[in-house]
Amino acid sequence: MEKRVVITGLGVVSPVGNTVEEMWDSIRNGRHGIAQITSFDLEGHKVTMGAEVKNYDYGDKKAARRLDIADQFALTAAREAIEDSGISSGENVDPDRFSVYGGTGIGGMRTLESEVTKCVRKDKLARASALLIPMVMPNAVSGNISMEFNAKGASMGIVSACATGTHCVGEAFRNIKHGYSDVVLAGSTESVFSPVCFSGFSNMTAMSTKTDPDRCSIPFDVERDGFILGEGAAFLVLEELEHALNRGAKIYGEVIGYGATSDAYHITSPAPDGEGAAKAIRLALQEAGITPDDIDYINAHGTGTPYNDAFETIAVKKVFGENTKVPMSSTKSMTGHLLGAAGSLEAVICTKAITESFIPPTIGLQKPDPELDLDYVPNVGRDAEIKCTLSNSLGFGGHNATLIIRKYED
């Protein structure tokens, strides 16, 4: 018998706030987190703007030295989600039925780059830190979290570029749905503000070269020229419905559908016909047992690159129809693109959209692209009853993922 899966805890670290409350206040009021980068010397870099996490303090300085910044973000967000949920391993959840799906798109790049630089400058490879490997391995995200919270079920480290976060939440949903776990802490993290990695993205011409922070991340605008790199983490506590009810948990929403496909087309570009992304949407709708007419809001992948915004619009039209009126906004206009952490943050945003009855805007959309004609909720959000949201994530490598979250009803 398939289980129903609900959301009982939320946690974030983001460029627009380091708690769920702070983040949502920024989203609701259309405030972005974009400014000139401070993480490294910008000399020689063509791109100078980013969406960095601000005023962040992990707290335990000794522990922080053993963790890449991305892992620090992950643990901070996971702690907020666990505290919010009231879950305690061994008390109100069986540790063996408590799992973690924690991913990252790239892993501990800031640590890796720092250690390589140190070894080259010292001309001694033996200078590499003994902590290098556990600090850079992508599965450290789920490993560290499972140890912190005594989660002895599955510990999965998913890596699928910018679709990572949505894959983590979607696969966690399936784990509970099919009876393997009662609770899964699901989410993702990312921080790649390091000179070489940043230069790599820049030289791909994937990032915006604009210097006006209000005109950098402008999805669906005719003047868009790339994404703005962001960083942070987001985690959700997913729980089997009866388990949540039995312990009197508050319920934010219900995960009802998930779709995952591959374009099998190009290592960085989405397929021009949008069919892979459209198929992921159809699969999610099919699993949810609903139709496109039941979706009240779409959180777009919406990176602000010329190709992504055009091809995602094509994909949505293939499923929802050429003349669809469904609101679709890109919250990356405020948060920047958190790469592997984007999908989980946007799952939190969709959940809040339902509980707060509010459709987030696409800010900075001053000059709409005449070729893109959907309702992108320009500049100002809307108060509206939202029963069902759909979130898209598209990643380098051709990964497509779609997640559907619905308002919880008995």
Side-chain angles (χ1 to χ4, degrees), residues 178-194:
H178 296 299
Y180 298 106
S181 299
D182 296 323
V183 176
V184 182
L185 183 54
S188 53
T189 187
E190 200 82 89
S191 181
V192 293
F193 278 104
S194 57

Side-chain angles (χ1 to χ4, degrees), residues 90-306:
E91 294 184 11
N92 56 15
V93 62
D94 178 351
D96 292 331
R97 293 186 60 79
F98 180 14
S99 298
V100 177
Y101 280 61
T104 180
I106 297 178
M109 182 58 68
R110 290 175 70 165
T111 295
L112 179 61
E113 194 169 312
S114 174
E115 286 295 305
V116 169
T117 300
K118 181 181 73 174
C119 289
V120 170
R121 285 179 177 170
K122 298 288 185 180
D123 196 28
K124 291 182 180 179
L125 292 180
R127 301 284 297 191
S129 169
L131 296 171
L132 172 61
I133 302 306
M135 288 177 71
V136 303
M137 60 189 194
N139 62 297
V141 178
S142 57
N144 286 323
I145 290 172
S146 65
M147 288 184 282
E148 169 118 356
F149 299 109
N150 192 37
K152 296 184 176 181
S155 177
M156 297 292 182
I158 295 175
V159 179
S160 50
C162 308
T164 297
T166 300
H167 280 151
C168 284
V169 179
E171 296 297 329
F173 156 66
R174 295 261 178 87
N175 180 289
I176 298 173
K177 177 180 177 178
H178 296 299
Y180 298 106
S181 299
D182 296 323
V183 176
V184 182
L185 183 54
S188 53
T189 187
E190 200 82 89
S191 181
V192 293
F193 278 104
S194 57
V196 176
C197 188
F198 191 80
S199 180
F201 276 111
S202 176
N203 289 338
M204 290 172 64
T205 66
M207 294 196 295
S208 173
T209 58
K210 291 182 169 65
T211 56
D212 179 352
D214 297 329
R215 295 296 292 161
C216 288
S217 185
I218 50 172
F220 311 116
D221 192 292
V222 73
E223 294 182 353
R224 69 191 187 279
D225 69 334
F227 69 81
I228 284 293
L229 186 66
E231 63 178 350
F235 277 82
L236 302 86
V237 175
L238 303 189
E239 192 166 353
E240 192 272 321
L241 175 60
E242 292 304 317
H243 190 277
L245 293 176
N246 287 339
R247 68 179 187 88
K250 65 178 176 294
I251 296 175
Y252 288 105
E254 181 177 4
V255 183
I256 61 171
Y258 166 58
T261 67
S262 176
D263 286 341
Y265 169 73
H266 190 275
I267 198 64
T268 57
S269 173
D273 63 3
E275 185 52 39
K279 189 183 298 182
I281 295 171
R282 292 190 195 103
L283 289 172
L285 290 167
Q286 180 181 343
E287 181 171 31
I290 62 175
T291 72
D293 291 339
D294 294 310
I295 299 297
D296 299 307
Y297 166 63
I298 298 173
N299 187 287
H301 187 58
T303 60
T305 65

Side-chain angles (χ1 to χ4, degrees), residues 24-41:
W24 182 250
D25 184 68
S26 294
I27 295 296
R28 189 175 186 96
N29 289 286
R31 291 194 300 267
H32 66 69
I34 300 166
Q36 189 172 79
I37 293 164
T38 61
S39 296
F40 54 86
D41 186 350

